[in-house]
Amino acid sequence: MGVPISWFWSRSFLLSRLFLWVMFIFNFLGTVYGYIWYGNQIEDTVSNHPLWQVVFVPDSPTASLFFTLTLLYWLFPPQGNSRFVNGARMIIEGLAVVTSIKYGIWAVSMIVAGSMQGDPLQWEHWMLMVSHTAMAVEVLLYARFMRAGVGAAVIGTLWLLLNDTVDYTYDVFPWLSDRLMDDLTAVKWFTYSLTIFSFIVGALALRARKET
């Protein structure tokens, strides 16, 4: 008999060391690529804005970084029962969940919105849509194995709200297609709304978690 499809999102498959390493490598490389992708905007921010605002520029790769760190906890489980280590782990997991859901959906939405207004879709756009969709899907698959609870999702959401506020107050939001710049107010409120949506979905996913 063949392997049932359900096995591929089972605990035994998703938490196997081989698959965790595959996930780690892909997410690590994607994180590095993401920071490189934001390179020009980071340089522009350093040159024209206060240095502290740089932290809020690379949204998607930072979300990917949180999930990459989460994978490390499974690959190399901390020894002992340190409250600090466990607390840091839960906060990172909460950040990974809400930020990956949000920026996975946000990036795809902006590409589709630009395309609907006349932007031609290049191969980079298709690559970004696939990779950002994967960000949201993978974190939802793994949320049920995380230790984080709703409290950690709240912390992650507060970070997102701060990020949104800095982005659209100081104009350090991710660079948009020229065709979307006249819709900036709509993009702003969509971004805030997506933060709340990501909290709701992330909190529900974490409430369904199983202890690892």
Side-chain angles (χ1 to χ4, degrees):
M1 296 179 63
V3 177
I5 295 296
S6 60
W7 182 75
F8 290 101
W9 55 83
S10 68
R11 178 192 185 94
S12 58
F13 176 73
L14 292 175
L15 293 183
S16 65
R17 287 193 66 81
L18 175 59
F19 193 68
L20 285 174
W21 273 114
V22 171
M23 291 292 292
F24 174 79
I25 291 169
F26 275 99
N27 278 275
F28 176 78
L29 294 176
T31 300
V32 172
Y33 178 80
Y35 282 112
I36 294 172
W37 180 272
Y38 272 91
N40 290 335
Q41 186 173 358
I42 291 172
E43 291 179 6
D44 179 77
T45 304
V46 170
S47 299
N48 300 294
H49 294 263
L51 189 59
W52 64 268
Q53 294 177 14
V54 175
V55 177
F56 299 94
V57 171
D59 295 334
S60 294
T62 301
S64 178
L65 175 62
F66 290 137
F67 186 65
T68 302
L69 293 174
T70 297
L71 292 168
L72 279 179
Y73 280 112
W74 284 310
L75 285 167
F76 303 101
Q79 301 301 311
N81 194 33
S82 167
R83 293 179 63 183
F84 174 79
V85 172
N86 289 333
R89 173 179 183 171
M90 287 189 286
I91 290 172
I92 290 172
E93 288 176 346
L95 285 163
V97 170
V98 295
T99 60
S100 295
I101 294 171
K102 176 182 176 174
Y103 294 120
I105 296 173
W106 188 91
V108 174
S109 299
M110 293 304 104
I111 293 171
V112 171
S115 175
M116 290 176 65
Q117 295 196 29
D119 277 339
L121 289 178
Q122 308 294 337
W123 73 268
E124 294 97 334
H125 295 118
W126 292 106
M127 179 271 292
L128 289 170
M129 284 194 288
V130 170
S131 61
H132 282 79
T133 300
M135 281 177 58
V137 171
E138 67 184 5
V139 81
L140 288 173
L141 284 175
Y142 278 93
R144 68 189 192 273
F145 305 126
M146 296 180 184
R147 296 185 179 181
V150 175
V154 169
I155 293 173
T157 303
L158 291 175
W159 164 258
L160 285 177
L161 290 171
L162 174 62
N163 199 340
D164 295 343
T165 302
V166 172
D167 278 358
Y168 294 96
T169 300
Y170 300 103
D171 292 336
V172 292
F173 51 85
W175 284 346
L176 298 168
S177 161
D178 290 341
R179 298 178 187 272
L180 294 179
M181 289 304 296
D182 58 347
D183 300 314
L184 187 57
T185 299
V187 171
K188 171 185 173 180
W189 291 115
F190 171 76
T191 302
Y192 274 106
S193 300
L194 193 54
T195 290
I196 303 305
F197 173 82
S198 299
F199 166 71
I200 294 170
V201 174
L204 289 173
L206 289 171
R207 282 177 64 87
R209 71 192 188 281
K210 299 177 183 178
E211 293 297 329
T212 57

